[in-house]
Amino acid sequence: MAITQAIPNSFKSQLLTGTHNFTATTGNVFKLALYTSASVMSSATTSFSTTAEVANTGQYVTGGGVLVNISPVVSSGVAFIDFNDISFTGVTLTAAGALIYNTSSSNAAVAVLDFGGDKTATSGTFTVQFPADTTSAAILRISG
């Protein structure tokens, strides 16, 4: 099984049809779900699935947690979006990756994240830290 970090092909086409609204206060609701190493996700992933999702533990529940996004920015010809880091407390879990998905649009996949191996929290806090909100590092970037 494998998780391959990617922006799903379905997300790319959905951007052109206006499926996703990343406006911070009035846009869609995006969530992050955690997955075990038994998960198979890649650019072919189209939507959220509970298959190989991390089990409920502490603050982590099926479907993951709601992300707080920062409204899109355009700088130096690059459009980008970022999310605040997300933490799940009181958990005992092992995750190999995650899926960002849009609950406002049939749970459409936005991004597959590969953690590069199993990451574990034991009776503690599991945090997913997003990269800097810049033209070269933000989690989602479009340039031409």
Side-chain angles (χ1 to χ4, degrees), residues 7 11-12 15-16 73-81 134-144:
I7 300 300
F11 174 75
K12 295 171 191 174
L15 282 177
L16 300 177
V73 174
V74 176
S75 178
S76 301
V78 178
F80 55 96
I81 183 73
T134 66
T135 59
S136 61
I139 193 73
L140 293 173
R141 301 179 306 275
I142 301 172
S143 62

Side-chain angles (χ1 to χ4, degrees), residues 20 28-32 48 63 65-66 100-108 110:
H20 303 279
N28 297 150
V29 175
F30 297 90
K31 290 181 90 175
L32 180 135
F48 166 75
V66 175
I100 297 172
Y101 66 101
N102 184 345
T103 66
S104 302
S105 181
S106 302
N107 294 331
V110 172

